[in-house]
Amino acid sequence: MDMKLEVVVLPVSDVDRAKAFYVEQLGWRLDADFPIHDGYRIVQVTPPGSECSVIFGEGLTQQEAGTLHGLQLTVTDILEAQEELTSRGVEVSGPFRDETGAFHHAGDTHRVLGAHPERASYGTFAAFKDLDGNEWFLQEVTERAPGR
C-alpha cells in the first residue's frame, strides 16, 4: 500500500501575512482558503512541482509560530533556485554543504560554505526562513538514488 506525505501543518502567527509570503512572494499555488468560523481557518498552498502541500491557518496546531525547522524542498539547480528566491526578496543562506558530506546538521555550525565540489546529487543545500522563522532547506538533487 502506498503512503504518501500529503500535507505539512505549518505554525504561523498571522494567517494573511503568511498567505502573502507563500503565495505572492514565493509564488506557491493557493489551493484553498476556508474561513470555517471565527478561530478556525484553513489555508493550503503548494510549492511548484510538489505533490505535498502546506496548510496553515487558525485552530490547526498547538505548535508555536516559527518552531518548524528542517522542512525541505528539492531542486535540480541550487544556484538557480537561490537566485529566484533572492529575486523575490527572500533572504537565502548558502549554498553550503555539511562538513560530514551527509545530510546537514541542525543549526549552522557544521556548514561549509559553497556547493559540493563535484556538485554531487544530495550534497548541496541552501536555507531560508518565512516571516515567523519557520526554516526551509533547499537540497540539490540532480540524480535520484536507486529506488527513489
Side-chain angles (χ1 to χ4, degrees):
M1 171 179 27
D2 287 347
M3 290 188 187
K4 297 180 180 184
L5 182 62
E6 185 78 18
V7 170
V8 173
V9 178
L10 189 68
V12 301
S13 60
D14 181 311
V15 179
D16 290 319
R17 183 177 76 147
K19 180 180 171 184
F21 177 77
Y22 285 99
V23 174
E24 296 168 22
Q25 192 166 359
L26 289 183
W28 292 11
R29 184 183 71 226
L30 176 63
D31 300 321
D33 187 347
F34 299 123
I36 307 297
H37 59 70
D38 191 35
Y40 189 55
R41 179 178 172 192
I42 305 163
V43 176
Q44 179 173 313
V45 297
T46 303
S50 180
E51 292 186 28
C52 182
S53 298
V54 175
I55 289 179
F56 52 85
E58 297 173 0
L60 301 177
T61 182
Q62 294 181 347
Q63 284 184 277
E64 293 293 321
T67 58
L68 219 50
H69 300 278
L71 298 165
Q72 184 167 305
L73 301 166
T74 301
V75 299
T76 56
D77 187 319
I78 199 92
L79 300 176
E80 184 180 318
Q82 183 172 1
E83 183 178 304
E84 180 179 333
L85 289 172
T86 301
S87 76
R88 292 175 171 272
V90 178
E91 185 177 326
V92 181
S93 63
F96 60 87
R97 61 190 184 279
D98 191 83
E99 67 187 9
T100 65
F103 194 77
H104 59 82
H105 280 79
D108 58 7
T109 57
H110 298 278
R111 291 181 183 176
V112 176
L113 290 178
H116 185 280
E118 291 86 37
R119 294 290 289 271
S121 203
Y122 300 96
T124 304
F125 301 88
F128 69 93
K129 294 181 180 180
D130 71 8
L131 302 174
D132 283 302
N134 294 303
E135 187 175 32
W136 292 86
F137 287 90
L138 305 173
Q139 182 179 34
E140 185 174 71
V141 177
T142 55
E143 185 177 328
R144 290 266 176 203
R148 295 285 324 237

